[in-house]
Amino acid sequence: MKEPIRVLHIVPKLAPGGIETLLMNICRHIDRTKINFDFLIHSSEKGVYDDELRALGCRLFYLHRLSARYFFLSYKNDLRAFFLQHKNDYEIIHSHIDTLSAIPLKEASLAGYPIRIAHSHNTSIIDRGIKRAIKNFYKKRIPRYASHLFACSNMAGEFCFGNNSFYNITNGIEVKRFLYKNDIRKKYREQLSIDDKTIVFVHTGAFRKQKNHLFLLEVFASILYFLPDSKLVALGDGELRFEIEEKIKSLGLEEACILLGNTAEVAEYLSASDVFLLPSLFEGLPIAAIEAQASGLPVFISDTVTPETQLGKNYFRFSLDEGHALWGKKIAKTLQQLTAPEICTAETLNARREPSEKINTFDISETVRQLEHFYLEQGASLK
């Protein structure tokens, strides 16, 4: 029996973010008799997926977090040592650290690894100053050191790779798991002590600047003026948690906002919710919005997000330049139109709930098919 192809995935960390969620979905469904994954992680802390990945046969290797000190003093040396030590372990190196992928791929190239993939998952750089300059510098060098370029959307590919050609790889989800379930809805709303008529707005995303939580809270405060029987449930956690909690207090939203932290029960909380909000500053192709549409929720999203995310009719894009007050007014008006002539409540919204028309094009089986074909084809070319 032939040995499986081993692929090394290079990731920022193994927290429950979009990249990590995608890779976990792939790892659970790929044919492990043919392809095995290992992970090189830019964090020395244990991640939420570590135990499951090990149970699936993956090996995990840890670098330090990419602080300025580590980046300038020893990062490249650590990469060089790793690739030399594991020279005979991998046919394929697959990097998911966006604009900085040129750094590990250069070291992999120098060490003689033939297949080196840079995978773009984003459409902008949020950093300023020297960090932004460094990321732009390395972004331009990705095509020099990558043998293949992947992106989750056209915008993500064009941002990271310019005019170079790239493969579009679908950000797949387990569609069946995210379909709406009425019994789950009742159970989780009871756990949260939320009335049947209360409209639950939900947001999924790490508590970092890109997700624009402070604007989200201002939008929700505006929505309450028109739809006072509403709650906001936020799934996720991160470095901005304290700032977000302070914003909730300053807006007087303590009774209306529920911060649930990181959870493996995203599908369940989506079933319990009524409306999905995502006013991000930028996104590659947000898995959270795909999951929400699988659950049949109307989606209100910033127009900075790639249009490939739209899979059905109840998907509404607004400009961040319109401001939070207009967002709130437009969201409330749209929801009232969706439920007309009835009063807009959770019950009337839920009665019109259905998964988006094109949701099956984002099933994880399609992503796995794409990657299995690529990995096996490239592996065969090396024999």
Side-chain angles (χ1 to χ4, degrees):
M1 184 175 177
K2 288 198 319 185
E3 284 290 311
I5 293 170
R6 294 205 76 90
V7 179
L8 179 72
H9 288 281
I10 302 174
V11 297
K13 53 186 176 179
L14 287 176
I19 296 170
E20 297 84 0
T21 299
L22 172 66
L23 289 172
M24 283 305 307
N25 283 338
I26 295 166
C27 200
R28 291 170 183 139
H29 292 86
I30 207 157
D31 186 345
R32 291 191 295 279
T33 66
K34 298 178 180 177
I35 300 164
N36 286 169
F37 289 168
D38 291 343
F39 291 83
L40 182 60
I41 305 158
H42 287 72
S43 172
S44 55
E45 297 179 6
K46 181 179 178 180
V48 295
Y49 295 125
D50 288 21
D51 292 340
E52 183 181 355
L53 285 169
R54 287 196 179 97
L56 292 170
C58 304
R59 294 182 298 175
L60 309 183
F61 303 97
Y62 301 92
L63 298 170
H64 295 289
R65 182 178 65 84
L66 266 181
S67 65
R69 179 180 177 84
Y70 178 60
F71 181 85
F72 287 110
L73 291 183
S74 54
Y75 178 47
K76 293 178 184 177
N77 288 334
D78 286 356
L79 286 171
R80 190 170 300 133
F82 177 88
F83 285 124
L84 289 174
Q85 180 184 350
H86 295 274
K87 178 69 175 68
N88 298 316
D89 291 354
Y90 303 106
E91 291 92 344
I92 298 171
I93 308 297
H94 193 152
S95 177
H96 303 269
I97 59 172
D98 284 335
T99 55
L100 296 179
S101 285
I103 303 172
L105 295 184
K106 177 183 179 181
E107 297 303 328
S109 176
L110 292 172
Y113 292 80
I115 309 300
R116 304 173 307 278
I117 305 164
H119 198 145
S120 175
H121 296 273
N122 248 318
T123 59
S124 185
I125 300 171
I126 203 163
D127 303 284
R128 294 289 181 263
I130 186 66
K131 283 188 177 181
R132 186 181 187 88
I134 289 170
K135 289 185 176 182
N136 271 319
F137 174 84
Y138 283 110
K139 182 180 77 165
K140 294 173 183 176
R141 281 150 183 78
I142 290 173
R144 185 184 302 177
Y145 301 114
S147 61
H148 298 81
L149 306 174
F150 287 1
C152 62
S153 67
N154 288 331
M155 284 173 62
E158 290 162 5
F159 162 70
C160 225
F161 312 132
N163 294 325
N164 294 280
S165 60
F166 55 87
Y167 297 90
N168 262 313
I169 302 295
T170 306
N171 274 4
I173 66 166
E174 296 176 278
V175 168
K176 189 174 181 180
R177 180 172 165 242
F178 284 89
L179 296 177
Y180 170 73
K181 298 173 181 67
N182 194 56
D183 58 332
I184 294 295
R185 177 182 177 83
K186 290 179 179 179
K187 175 183 175 182
Y188 279 75
R189 288 176 78 97
E190 285 175 6
Q191 288 179 2
L192 296 172
S193 300
I194 293 175
D195 185 81
D196 289 345
K197 291 187 177 181
T198 300
I199 301 171
V200 176
F201 293 82
V202 65
H203 175 272
T204 306
F207 287 9
R208 58 175 184 258
K209 190 174 179 181
Q210 173 192 351
K211 301 298 180 180
N212 209 11
H213 283 88
L214 303 186
F215 182 82
L216 168 72
L217 291 169
E218 292 178 331
V219 169
F220 179 64
S222 299
I223 290 170
L224 283 175
Y225 180 81
F226 302 97
L227 299 169
D229 189 9
S230 299
K231 299 276 189 185
L232 174 65
V233 171
L235 309 178
D237 212 333
E239 66 226 28
L240 296 182
R241 186 180 183 94
F242 177 77
E243 191 174 344
I244 290 166
E245 289 173 338
E246 290 300 301
K247 185 71 170 180
I248 289 171
K249 291 176 187 176
S250 72
L251 292 171
L253 297 175
E254 294 96 326
E255 298 301 314
C257 291
I258 304 171
L259 306 184
L260 289 175
N262 291 328
T263 175
E265 299 174 302
V266 174
E268 289 77 8
Y269 284 112
L270 290 177
S271 279
S273 302
D274 304 293
V275 184
F276 181 78
L277 303 177
L278 192 71
S280 298
L281 298 175
F282 59 89
E283 295 277 358
L285 196 150
I287 288 175
I290 305 301
E291 294 168 344
Q293 290 176 91
S295 191
L297 296 178
V299 168
F300 294 89
I301 199 164
S302 52
D303 65 1
T304 56
V305 176
T306 177
E308 290 111 307
T309 310
Q310 181 171 359
L311 304 178
K313 59 178 187 261
N314 288 336
Y315 180 100
F316 307 93
R317 301 173 80 224
F318 301 149
S319 170
L320 293 173
D321 293 335
E322 294 182 86
H324 62 86
L326 188 53
W327 266 63
K329 182 178 181 180
K330 289 171 73 172
I331 289 169
K333 184 177 179 180
T334 301
L335 294 175
Q336 289 164 344
Q337 290 172 340
L338 288 177
T339 58
E342 298 175 271
I343 295 173
C344 182
T345 68
E347 291 174 321
T348 56
L349 281 169
N350 198 50
R352 292 156 175 79
R353 186 173 189 148
E354 58 183 359
S356 298
E357 296 91 326
K358 300 177 184 176
I359 193 62
N360 286 325
T361 62
F362 275 83
D363 193 79
I364 190 62
S365 60
E366 172 57 19
T367 310
V368 168
R369 185 197 65 76
Q370 288 178 297
L371 287 175
E372 278 188 355
H373 176 77
F374 178 87
Y375 292 150
L376 294 172
E377 184 179 63
Q378 295 302 317
S381 72
L382 301 176
K383 305 302 181 186

